[in-house]
Amino acid sequence: MEKVAVVFFYRDAKILMGLRDQVEVHSGCWGLPGGRLEKNESPRDAAIREATEEVGLTPSIFESACQLVDLSGTDYSFYLCRQWEGEPKNLEPEKCSQLQWFELDRLPGNTIGIIAEAIDVLAIQKHADP
């Protein structure tokens, strides 16, 4: 079973998403920073590594949010991050054509399905800052 770690960077009731471009899986869809675990890597460590590599953000305060398995059998570990170091920048322009913050109730129609499902499962709005 393939394992993937994904990070919701969350601020002001919005999440940071990237438009996947010219990639093997989910090309043309909006996704979150994340990717496959490397050998002997924990999901938490993979989430930190992938976020830093893809968008230049290093999570400082984040929590395990949920775990889901998609129809292909891929096991996704989602993390919710509300505090990080760095400013978002697209560090993989060959795989991602743009980054954008989206309101949770206004996600683009071409959002990767498992991400929309995770938001529903989490009811992420209840994690909002007061």
Side-chain angles (χ1 to χ4, degrees):
M1 174 185 297
E2 186 170 56
K3 295 186 178 215
V4 173
V6 183
V7 182
F8 285 103
F9 284 101
Y10 181 74
R11 76 168 181 211
D12 303 325
K14 295 179 182 178
I15 58 172
L16 181 66
M17 299 181 78
L19 183 57
R20 298 173 57 85
D21 190 26
Q22 300 179 35
V23 291
E24 196 174 308
V25 180
H26 303 299
S27 194
C29 295
W30 288 92
L32 299 171
R36 296 178 184 99
L37 276 63
E38 293 180 353
K39 186 176 180 178
N40 299 321
E41 186 176 42
S42 72
R44 182 179 182 85
D45 289 343
I48 293 168
R49 177 183 53 77
E50 290 284 353
T52 304
E53 289 174 358
E54 292 181 12
V55 295
L57 299 177
T58 303
S60 52
I61 297 177
F62 74 118
E63 61 196 61
S64 179
C66 71
Q67 192 165 351
L68 298 172
V69 177
D70 71 8
L71 295 175
S72 74
T74 301
D75 184 354
Y76 288 83
S77 296
F78 288 93
Y79 292 86
L80 176 63
C81 181
R82 288 179 263 175
Q83 190 171 359
W84 54 85
E85 296 174 21
E87 291 297 320
K89 54 188 168 251
N90 186 0
L91 297 177
E92 295 186 335
E94 71 283 358
K95 297 178 183 176
C96 176
S97 61
Q98 63 178 299
L99 297 177
Q100 189 171 331
W101 292 94
F102 287 97
E103 294 178 14
L104 291 169
D105 60 353
R106 294 180 186 217
L107 296 180
N110 57 336
T111 296
I112 295 171
I114 196 78
I115 293 168
E117 185 179 339
I119 290 171
D120 289 343
V121 168
L122 285 171
I124 199 168
Q125 286 92 341
K126 72 180 179 183
H127 291 283
D129 295 324

